[in-house]
């Protein structure tokens, strides 16, 4: 996954947390952002990409 996609997921999740969204809503927001950035990908791929990044954000 490219660094720009990792940065996008990180930014979206961080902002979602800052406004008080729960974990599922944070994940959904990140998936939606990836889908908007990569309209040629399937939702399954976007969810997989978010799932790859979320564990590293939980450790931060």
């Amino acid at each position: 996954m490219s660094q720009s996609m990792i940065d996008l997921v990180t930014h979206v999740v961080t902002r979602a947390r800052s406004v008080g969204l729960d974990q599922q809503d944070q994940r959904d927001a990140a998936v939606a952002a990836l889908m908007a950035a990569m309209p040629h990908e399937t939702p399954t791929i976007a969810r997989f990409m978010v799932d790859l990044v979320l564990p590293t954000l939980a450790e931060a």
Side-chain angles (χ1 to χ4, degrees):
M1 178 177 356
S2 72
Q3 186 62 44
S4 62
M5 294 296 111
I6 293 169
D7 292 344
L8 176 63
V9 171
T10 301
H11 176 74
V12 169
V13 170
T14 300
R15 291 291 298 146
R17 284 181 184 165
S18 73
V19 297
L21 296 181
D22 65 22
Q23 284 185 332
Q24 185 60 48
D25 289 339
Q26 294 168 22
R27 183 180 184 271
D28 291 345
V31 169
L34 282 178
M35 290 300 300
M38 305 180 317
H40 59 281
E41 290 293 351
T42 65
T44 302
I45 296 297
R47 283 190 296 274
F48 176 74
M49 292 172 73
V50 169
D51 289 344
L52 288 175
V53 176
L54 280 179
T56 61
L57 293 177
E59 295 168 3

